[in-house]
Short mmCIF file of all heavy atoms in Angstrom, two decimals:
data_model
loop_
_atom_site.label_atom_id
_atom_site.label_comp_id
_atom_site.label_asym_id
_atom_site.label_seq_id
_atom_site.Cartn_x
_atom_site.Cartn_y
_atom_site.Cartn_z
N MET A 661 0.84 -1.19 0.00
CA MET A 661 -0.01 0.00 0.00
C MET A 661 0.87 1.26 0.00
O MET A 661 0.58 2.19 -0.70
CB MET A 661 -0.91 -0.03 1.24
CG MET A 661 -1.86 1.10 1.30
SD MET A 661 -3.12 0.91 0.04
CE MET A 661 -4.22 2.21 0.46
N ILE A 662 1.92 1.25 0.80
CA ILE A 662 2.82 2.43 0.85
C ILE A 662 3.47 2.62 -0.54
O ILE A 662 3.63 3.73 -1.00
CB ILE A 662 3.83 2.27 1.95
CG1 ILE A 662 3.16 2.32 3.31
CG2 ILE A 662 4.92 3.33 1.85
CD1 ILE A 662 4.07 2.02 4.46
N PHE A 663 3.83 1.52 -1.18
CA PHE A 663 4.41 1.62 -2.52
C PHE A 663 3.44 2.29 -3.48
O PHE A 663 3.85 3.18 -4.26
CB PHE A 663 4.78 0.21 -3.02
CG PHE A 663 5.18 0.20 -4.47
CD1 PHE A 663 6.41 0.71 -4.84
CD2 PHE A 663 4.34 -0.31 -5.45
CE1 PHE A 663 6.79 0.71 -6.17
CE2 PHE A 663 4.69 -0.29 -6.77
CZ PHE A 663 5.94 0.20 -7.13
N LEU A 664 2.18 1.92 -3.47
CA LEU A 664 1.21 2.54 -4.34
C LEU A 664 1.05 4.02 -4.06
O LEU A 664 0.99 4.84 -4.96
CB LEU A 664 -0.15 1.88 -4.20
CG LEU A 664 -0.24 0.43 -4.78
CD1 LEU A 664 -1.61 -0.16 -4.49
CD2 LEU A 664 0.06 0.43 -6.27
N LEU A 665 1.05 4.41 -2.81
CA LEU A 665 0.94 5.83 -2.44
C LEU A 665 2.20 6.60 -2.88
O LEU A 665 2.10 7.77 -3.24
CB LEU A 665 0.72 5.98 -0.94
CG LEU A 665 -0.64 5.50 -0.43
CD1 LEU A 665 -0.66 5.60 1.09
CD2 LEU A 665 -1.77 6.30 -1.02
N SER A 666 3.34 5.93 -2.86
CA SER A 666 4.57 6.62 -3.27
C SER A 666 4.59 6.92 -4.77
O SER A 666 5.37 7.74 -5.21
CB SER A 666 5.79 5.78 -2.84
OG SER A 666 5.88 4.63 -3.65
N LEU A 667 3.76 6.19 -5.54
CA LEU A 667 3.72 6.46 -6.98
C LEU A 667 3.04 7.76 -7.29
O LEU A 667 3.26 8.37 -8.35
CB LEU A 667 3.00 5.31 -7.69
CG LEU A 667 3.73 3.98 -7.74
CD1 LEU A 667 2.83 2.94 -8.39
CD2 LEU A 667 5.04 4.08 -8.45
N PHE A 668 2.15 8.23 -6.41
CA PHE A 668 1.38 9.41 -6.75
C PHE A 668 2.21 10.68 -6.74
O PHE A 668 1.94 11.59 -7.53
CB PHE A 668 0.20 9.54 -5.77
CG PHE A 668 -0.89 8.55 -6.02
CD1 PHE A 668 -1.11 7.52 -5.10
CD2 PHE A 668 -1.67 8.61 -7.14
CE1 PHE A 668 -2.11 6.55 -5.34
CE2 PHE A 668 -2.65 7.68 -7.40
CZ PHE A 668 -2.87 6.67 -6.49
N ASP A 669 3.22 10.75 -5.91
CA ASP A 669 4.06 11.93 -5.86
C ASP A 669 4.76 12.20 -7.22
O ASP A 669 4.63 13.32 -7.77
CB ASP A 669 5.05 11.87 -4.69
CG ASP A 669 5.78 13.18 -4.50
OD1 ASP A 669 5.14 14.24 -4.61
OD2 ASP A 669 7.01 13.14 -4.28
N PRO A 670 5.45 11.20 -7.79
CA PRO A 670 6.04 11.45 -9.09
C PRO A 670 5.00 11.76 -10.19
O PRO A 670 5.24 12.61 -11.09
CB PRO A 670 6.79 10.15 -9.46
CG PRO A 670 7.03 9.53 -8.12
CD PRO A 670 5.89 9.93 -7.26
N LEU A 671 3.83 11.14 -10.08
CA LEU A 671 2.78 11.43 -11.05
C LEU A 671 2.28 12.86 -10.92
O LEU A 671 2.05 13.57 -11.91
CB LEU A 671 1.58 10.45 -10.88
CG LEU A 671 1.88 9.02 -11.35
CD1 LEU A 671 0.69 8.12 -11.03
CD2 LEU A 671 2.20 8.96 -12.82
N ASP A 672 2.13 13.32 -9.67
CA ASP A 672 1.75 14.71 -9.44
C ASP A 672 2.82 15.67 -9.99
O ASP A 672 2.48 16.66 -10.61
CB ASP A 672 1.52 14.98 -7.97
CG ASP A 672 0.22 14.39 -7.45
OD1 ASP A 672 -0.66 14.12 -8.27
OD2 ASP A 672 0.08 14.26 -6.22
N GLN A 673 4.07 15.33 -9.73
CA GLN A 673 5.16 16.18 -10.28
C GLN A 673 5.15 16.21 -11.79
O GLN A 673 5.34 17.26 -12.39
CB GLN A 673 6.50 15.65 -9.75
CG GLN A 673 6.71 15.89 -8.27
CD GLN A 673 8.04 15.32 -7.79
OE1 GLN A 673 8.77 14.69 -8.56
NE2 GLN A 673 8.33 15.52 -6.52
N MET A 674 4.92 15.05 -12.39
CA MET A 674 4.85 15.01 -13.86
C MET A 674 3.69 15.82 -14.39
O MET A 674 3.83 16.53 -15.38
CB MET A 674 4.77 13.54 -14.32
CG MET A 674 5.16 13.38 -15.78
SD MET A 674 5.12 11.69 -16.45
CE MET A 674 5.33 10.63 -15.06
N ARG A 675 2.56 15.68 -13.74
CA ARG A 675 1.36 16.42 -14.15
C ARG A 675 1.61 17.94 -14.01
O ARG A 675 1.28 18.68 -14.93
CB ARG A 675 0.15 16.01 -13.32
CG ARG A 675 -1.12 16.61 -13.85
CD ARG A 675 -2.37 16.28 -13.01
NE ARG A 675 -2.46 14.89 -12.55
CZ ARG A 675 -2.48 14.53 -11.28
NH1 ARG A 675 -2.40 15.43 -10.31
NH2 ARG A 675 -2.58 13.28 -10.95
N ASP A 676 2.22 18.35 -12.93
CA ASP A 676 2.56 19.77 -12.73
C ASP A 676 3.53 20.26 -13.79
O ASP A 676 3.36 21.34 -14.34
CB ASP A 676 3.13 19.97 -11.33
CG ASP A 676 2.14 19.82 -10.22
OD1 ASP A 676 0.91 19.83 -10.52
OD2 ASP A 676 2.54 19.72 -9.07
N HIS A 677 4.52 19.42 -14.09
CA HIS A 677 5.48 19.78 -15.09
C HIS A 677 4.84 19.96 -16.46
O HIS A 677 5.11 20.92 -17.21
CB HIS A 677 6.60 18.76 -15.15
CG HIS A 677 7.68 19.07 -16.17
ND1 HIS A 677 8.58 20.07 -16.00
CD2 HIS A 677 7.96 18.47 -17.37
CE1 HIS A 677 9.35 20.10 -17.04
NE2 HIS A 677 9.02 19.14 -17.90
N LEU A 678 3.97 19.00 -16.87
CA LEU A 678 3.27 19.07 -18.10
C LEU A 678 2.37 20.30 -18.16
O LEU A 678 2.29 20.99 -19.20
CB LEU A 678 2.44 17.82 -18.36
CG LEU A 678 3.27 16.55 -18.68
CD1 LEU A 678 2.36 15.34 -18.73
CD2 LEU A 678 4.04 16.72 -19.99
N ALA A 679 1.71 20.60 -17.05
CA ALA A 679 0.84 21.79 -17.02
C ALA A 679 1.64 23.05 -17.20
O ALA A 679 1.25 23.97 -17.92
CB ALA A 679 0.09 21.85 -15.67
N GLN A 680 2.84 23.11 -16.58
CA GLN A 680 3.72 24.27 -16.76
C GLN A 680 4.20 24.41 -18.20
O GLN A 680 4.27 25.48 -18.75
CB GLN A 680 4.92 24.17 -15.82
CG GLN A 680 4.57 24.40 -14.36
CD GLN A 680 5.73 24.17 -13.41
OE1 GLN A 680 6.79 23.72 -13.86
NE2 GLN A 680 5.55 24.44 -12.12
N GLU A 681 4.52 23.27 -18.80
CA GLU A 681 4.97 23.31 -20.21
C GLU A 681 3.84 23.78 -21.13
O GLU A 681 4.06 24.56 -22.05
CB GLU A 681 5.44 21.94 -20.64
CG GLU A 681 6.83 21.58 -20.18
CD GLU A 681 7.35 20.28 -20.81
OE1 GLU A 681 6.66 19.70 -21.66
OE2 GLU A 681 8.48 19.88 -20.41
N GLN A 682 2.61 23.28 -20.89
CA GLN A 682 1.49 23.70 -21.68
C GLN A 682 1.23 25.21 -21.55
O GLN A 682 0.97 25.90 -22.49
CB GLN A 682 0.22 22.91 -21.27
CG GLN A 682 0.17 21.51 -21.80
CD GLN A 682 -1.11 20.80 -21.41
OE1 GLN A 682 -1.69 21.06 -20.36
NE2 GLN A 682 -1.53 19.87 -22.23
N GLU A 683 1.33 25.69 -20.29
CA GLU A 683 1.14 27.08 -20.06
C GLU A 683 2.20 27.94 -20.76
O GLU A 683 1.90 28.95 -21.36
CB GLU A 683 1.15 27.39 -18.54
CG GLU A 683 0.82 28.78 -18.18
CD GLU A 683 0.75 29.00 -16.68
OE1 GLU A 683 0.42 28.08 -15.93
OE2 GLU A 683 1.03 30.14 -16.26
N ALA A 684 3.43 27.46 -20.74
CA ALA A 684 4.53 28.16 -21.40
C ALA A 684 4.27 28.17 -22.92
O ALA A 684 4.52 29.18 -23.60
CB ALA A 684 5.86 27.50 -21.06
N ASP A 685 3.83 27.05 -23.45
CA ASP A 685 3.52 26.96 -24.90
C ASP A 685 2.40 27.91 -25.27
O ASP A 685 2.47 28.61 -26.31
CB ASP A 685 3.12 25.55 -25.30
CG ASP A 685 4.32 24.58 -25.31
OD1 ASP A 685 5.50 25.06 -25.29
OD2 ASP A 685 4.08 23.34 -25.34
N GLN A 686 1.36 27.99 -24.43
CA GLN A 686 0.27 28.89 -24.70
C GLN A 686 0.71 30.34 -24.67
O GLN A 686 0.31 31.14 -25.52
CB GLN A 686 -0.88 28.64 -23.72
CG GLN A 686 -1.60 27.31 -23.93
CD GLN A 686 -2.60 27.02 -22.81
OE1 GLN A 686 -2.61 27.62 -21.77
NE2 GLN A 686 -3.45 26.03 -23.09
N MET A 687 1.55 30.68 -23.70
CA MET A 687 2.04 32.04 -23.59
C MET A 687 2.90 32.40 -24.82
O MET A 687 2.81 33.50 -25.34
CB MET A 687 2.86 32.24 -22.31
CG MET A 687 2.02 32.25 -21.07
SD MET A 687 0.73 33.55 -21.06
CE MET A 687 1.76 35.00 -21.11
N GLU A 688 3.71 31.42 -25.30
CA GLU A 688 4.52 31.67 -26.46
C GLU A 688 3.62 31.89 -27.69
O GLU A 688 3.89 32.77 -28.51
CB GLU A 688 5.44 30.46 -26.69
CG GLU A 688 6.44 30.69 -27.78
CD GLU A 688 7.45 29.57 -27.90
OE1 GLU A 688 7.60 28.79 -26.92
OE2 GLU A 688 8.08 29.45 -28.97
N GLN A 689 2.55 31.11 -27.79
CA GLN A 689 1.61 31.29 -28.91
C GLN A 689 0.95 32.67 -28.85
O GLN A 689 0.78 33.33 -29.87
CB GLN A 689 0.55 30.18 -28.91
CG GLN A 689 1.08 28.86 -29.32
CD GLN A 689 0.01 27.73 -29.20
OE1 GLN A 689 -1.05 27.96 -28.66
NE2 GLN A 689 0.35 26.54 -29.66
N VAL A 690 0.54 33.06 -27.66
CA VAL A 690 -0.07 34.39 -27.47
C VAL A 690 0.94 35.47 -27.84
O VAL A 690 0.59 36.40 -28.59
CB VAL A 690 -0.60 34.59 -26.03
CG1 VAL A 690 -0.96 36.04 -25.79
CG2 VAL A 690 -1.76 33.68 -25.75
N ASN A 691 2.17 35.35 -27.40
CA ASN A 691 3.17 36.35 -27.73
C ASN A 691 3.46 36.39 -29.21
O ASN A 691 3.64 37.49 -29.80
CB ASN A 691 4.47 36.07 -26.93
CG ASN A 691 4.36 36.39 -25.47
OD1 ASN A 691 3.55 37.26 -25.07
ND2 ASN A 691 5.14 35.75 -24.65
N ASP A 692 3.50 35.23 -29.86
CA ASP A 692 3.69 35.20 -31.31
C ASP A 692 2.54 35.92 -32.03
O ASP A 692 2.78 36.63 -33.01
CB ASP A 692 3.80 33.75 -31.82
CG ASP A 692 5.13 33.10 -31.47
OD1 ASP A 692 6.08 33.85 -31.06
OD2 ASP A 692 5.26 31.88 -31.57
N ALA A 693 1.33 35.66 -31.59
CA ALA A 693 0.15 36.30 -32.15
C ALA A 693 0.20 37.82 -31.98
O ALA A 693 -0.09 38.58 -32.92
CB ALA A 693 -1.14 35.73 -31.58
N ILE A 694 0.61 38.27 -30.80
CA ILE A 694 0.71 39.69 -30.54
C ILE A 694 1.75 40.31 -31.46
O ILE A 694 1.51 41.40 -32.05
CB ILE A 694 1.05 39.94 -29.06
CG1 ILE A 694 -0.20 39.61 -28.20
CG2 ILE A 694 1.45 41.41 -28.82
CD1 ILE A 694 0.08 39.63 -26.74
N ARG A 695 2.92 39.66 -31.57
CA ARG A 695 3.97 40.19 -32.44
C ARG A 695 3.50 40.24 -33.88
O ARG A 695 3.77 41.23 -34.58
CB ARG A 695 5.23 39.35 -32.36
CG ARG A 695 6.06 39.63 -31.10
CD ARG A 695 7.46 38.99 -31.17
NE ARG A 695 7.38 37.56 -31.09
CZ ARG A 695 7.38 36.89 -29.91
NH1 ARG A 695 7.47 37.54 -28.79
NH2 ARG A 695 7.32 35.55 -29.92
N SER A 696 2.78 39.25 -34.35
CA SER A 696 2.28 39.22 -35.70
C SER A 696 1.29 40.36 -35.92
O SER A 696 1.33 41.05 -36.94
CB SER A 696 1.60 37.87 -35.99
OG SER A 696 1.05 37.86 -37.29
N LEU A 697 0.38 40.56 -34.95
CA LEU A 697 -0.61 41.64 -35.08
C LEU A 697 0.07 43.01 -35.06
O LEU A 697 -0.28 43.91 -35.81
CB LEU A 697 -1.63 41.54 -33.98
CG LEU A 697 -2.60 40.38 -34.09
CD1 LEU A 697 -3.47 40.27 -32.81
CD2 LEU A 697 -3.51 40.56 -35.31
N GLN A 698 1.09 43.16 -34.20
CA GLN A 698 1.82 44.42 -34.18
C GLN A 698 2.53 44.70 -35.50
O GLN A 698 2.54 45.83 -35.96
CB GLN A 698 2.86 44.40 -33.04
CG GLN A 698 2.24 44.53 -31.65
CD GLN A 698 3.27 44.39 -30.57
OE1 GLN A 698 4.27 43.70 -30.69
NE2 GLN A 698 3.00 45.00 -29.39
N LYS A 699 3.07 43.65 -36.09
CA LYS A 699 3.76 43.80 -37.39
C LYS A 699 2.77 44.21 -38.46
O LYS A 699 3.02 45.09 -39.26
CB LYS A 699 4.47 42.50 -37.75
CG LYS A 699 5.27 42.58 -39.02
CD LYS A 699 5.98 41.28 -39.31
CE LYS A 699 6.75 41.35 -40.60
NZ LYS A 699 7.44 40.10 -40.97
N GLN A 700 1.61 43.53 -38.46
CA GLN A 700 0.54 43.84 -39.43
C GLN A 700 0.07 45.29 -39.25
O GLN A 700 -0.13 46.03 -40.22
CB GLN A 700 -0.62 42.90 -39.31
CG GLN A 700 -0.31 41.51 -39.81
CD GLN A 700 -1.48 40.55 -39.62
OE1 GLN A 700 -2.56 40.95 -39.21
NE2 GLN A 700 -1.28 39.28 -39.89
N LEU A 701 -0.11 45.68 -37.99
CA LEU A 701 -0.55 47.04 -37.73
C LEU A 701 0.49 48.07 -38.20
O LEU A 701 0.14 49.07 -38.84
CB LEU A 701 -0.83 47.23 -36.22
CG LEU A 701 -1.24 48.61 -35.76
CD1 LEU A 701 -2.58 49.00 -36.41
CD2 LEU A 701 -1.36 48.67 -34.25
N GLN A 702 1.74 47.80 -37.91
CA GLN A 702 2.82 48.69 -38.36
C GLN A 702 2.86 48.78 -39.87
O GLN A 702 2.97 49.88 -40.41
CB GLN A 702 4.14 48.20 -37.82
CG GLN A 702 5.31 49.12 -38.10
CD GLN A 702 6.63 48.59 -37.55
OE1 GLN A 702 6.70 47.46 -37.11
NE2 GLN A 702 7.67 49.39 -37.57
N GLU A 703 2.75 47.65 -40.55
CA GLU A 703 2.78 47.65 -42.03
C GLU A 703 1.58 48.40 -42.59
O GLU A 703 1.69 49.16 -43.54
CB GLU A 703 2.80 46.21 -42.55
CG GLU A 703 4.15 45.53 -42.29
CD GLU A 703 4.09 44.04 -42.64
OE1 GLU A 703 3.00 43.53 -42.97
OE2 GLU A 703 5.17 43.41 -42.59
N SER A 704 0.43 48.24 -41.96
CA SER A 704 -0.79 48.95 -42.47
C SER A 704 -0.65 50.46 -42.26
O SER A 704 -1.13 51.24 -43.07
CB SER A 704 -2.07 48.42 -41.83
OG SER A 704 -2.16 48.80 -40.49
N GLN A 705 -0.03 50.84 -41.17
CA GLN A 705 0.18 52.28 -40.92
C GLN A 705 1.19 52.86 -41.90
O GLN A 705 1.05 53.99 -42.34
CB GLN A 705 0.63 52.50 -39.46
CG GLN A 705 -0.47 52.29 -38.46
CD GLN A 705 0.03 52.36 -37.03
OE1 GLN A 705 1.21 52.23 -36.73
NE2 GLN A 705 -0.90 52.58 -36.12
N GLU A 706 2.21 52.08 -42.25
CA GLU A 706 3.18 52.54 -43.22
C GLU A 706 2.53 52.73 -44.58
O GLU A 706 2.88 53.62 -45.31
CB GLU A 706 4.35 51.55 -43.32
CG GLU A 706 5.28 51.57 -42.09
CD GLU A 706 6.28 50.46 -42.12
OE1 GLU A 706 6.30 49.66 -43.08
OE2 GLU A 706 7.08 50.40 -41.16
N ILE A 707 1.63 51.83 -44.92
CA ILE A 707 0.92 51.94 -46.22
C ILE A 707 0.01 53.15 -46.24
O ILE A 707 -0.08 53.87 -47.25
CB ILE A 707 0.12 50.67 -46.49
CG1 ILE A 707 1.07 49.49 -46.72
CG2 ILE A 707 -0.81 50.85 -47.69
CD1 ILE A 707 0.40 48.11 -46.76
N LYS A 708 -0.66 53.44 -45.12
CA LYS A 708 -1.57 54.59 -45.08
C LYS A 708 -0.88 55.90 -45.16
O LYS A 708 -1.44 56.91 -45.58
CB LYS A 708 -2.43 54.52 -43.81
CG LYS A 708 -3.45 53.42 -43.82
CD LYS A 708 -4.26 53.44 -42.53
CE LYS A 708 -5.25 52.29 -42.52
NZ LYS A 708 -5.95 52.21 -41.24
N THR A 709 0.37 55.99 -44.71
CA THR A 709 1.10 57.23 -44.68
C THR A 709 2.43 57.10 -45.44
O THR A 709 3.51 57.23 -44.84
CB THR A 709 1.40 57.64 -43.17
OG1 THR A 709 2.10 56.58 -42.58
CG2 THR A 709 0.09 57.93 -42.47
N PRO A 710 2.36 56.91 -46.75
CA PRO A 710 3.60 56.69 -47.52
C PRO A 710 4.41 57.95 -47.66
O PRO A 710 5.61 57.89 -47.90
CB PRO A 710 3.09 56.17 -48.86
CG PRO A 710 1.72 56.78 -48.99
CD PRO A 710 1.19 56.82 -47.59
N GLY A 711 3.81 59.16 -47.53
CA GLY A 711 4.54 60.39 -47.76
C GLY A 711 5.41 60.85 -46.58
O GLY A 711 6.20 61.75 -46.73
N GLN A 712 5.19 60.31 -45.45
CA GLN A 712 5.94 60.77 -44.27
C GLN A 712 7.39 60.34 -44.36
O GLN A 712 7.71 59.20 -44.61
CB GLN A 712 5.31 60.21 -42.99
CG GLN A 712 4.01 60.84 -42.64
CD GLN A 712 3.52 60.37 -41.26
OE1 GLN A 712 4.01 59.36 -40.76
NE2 GLN A 712 2.55 61.05 -40.71
N GLY A 713 8.26 61.32 -44.12
CA GLY A 713 9.68 61.02 -44.07
C GLY A 713 10.34 60.84 -45.44
O GLY A 713 11.52 60.67 -45.52
N GLY A 714 9.58 60.90 -46.44
CA GLY A 714 10.15 60.73 -47.78
C GLY A 714 10.04 62.03 -48.59
O GLY A 714 9.66 63.06 -48.08
N MET A 715 10.40 61.93 -49.82
CA MET A 715 10.35 63.13 -50.65
C MET A 715 8.94 63.23 -51.21
O MET A 715 8.32 62.25 -51.61
CB MET A 715 11.34 62.99 -51.84
CG MET A 715 12.80 62.91 -51.35
SD MET A 715 13.92 62.59 -52.74
CE MET A 715 13.71 64.06 -53.69
N SER A 716 8.42 64.46 -51.22
CA SER A 716 7.08 64.68 -51.74
C SER A 716 7.20 65.32 -53.11
O SER A 716 8.06 66.13 -53.39
CB SER A 716 6.26 65.56 -50.83
OG SER A 716 6.88 66.80 -50.64
N MET A 717 6.25 64.98 -53.96
CA MET A 717 6.24 65.53 -55.34
C MET A 717 5.41 66.81 -55.32
O MET A 717 4.33 66.84 -54.73
CB MET A 717 5.65 64.53 -56.32
CG MET A 717 6.50 63.27 -56.43
SD MET A 717 5.77 62.07 -57.52
CE MET A 717 5.79 62.95 -59.06
N LYS A 718 5.94 67.85 -55.98
CA LYS A 718 5.20 69.15 -56.04
C LYS A 718 4.84 69.44 -57.46
O LYS A 718 5.45 69.09 -58.37
CB LYS A 718 6.03 70.26 -55.43
CG LYS A 718 6.17 70.09 -53.96
CD LYS A 718 6.85 71.32 -53.39
CE LYS A 718 6.98 71.18 -51.90
NZ LYS A 718 7.51 72.32 -51.26
#
């Protein structure tokens, strides 16, 4: 019986470790999505204001 109970601790540790890895993966995906959206926003702003900082035709 003690042997069976001793198995639960490593299983709990493994479960916690997997949960932490999943959380880290999810955070990385969220950060990637944010970076992608920021890049798209920056590119769309550059397209809307092409004359800024460049030479203008008169």
Side-chain angles (χ1 to χ4, degrees):
M661 183 71 172
I662 293 173
F663 171 74
L664 291 177
L665 291 175
S666 70
L667 290 177
F668 287 110
D669 188 41
L671 290 175
D672 284 342
Q673 289 177 358
M674 198 178 336
R675 189 183 317 119
D676 289 345
H677 180 71
L678 289 173
Q680 289 174 354
E681 282 188 4
Q682 284 180 330
E683 187 176 329
D685 288 344
Q686 289 172 347
M687 288 303 297
E688 187 174 341
Q689 288 175 353
V690 168
N691 288 334
D692 287 346
I694 290 171
R695 281 192 290 273
S696 176
L697 289 171
Q698 286 174 331
K699 184 177 178 182
Q700 290 177 6
L701 178 63
Q702 184 180 11
E703 289 172 354
S704 71
Q705 288 174 341
E706 288 173 359
I707 292 170
K708 288 181 183 176
T709 57
Q712 287 186 344
M715 296 174 64
S716 59
M717 296 176 63
K718 291 187 179 184

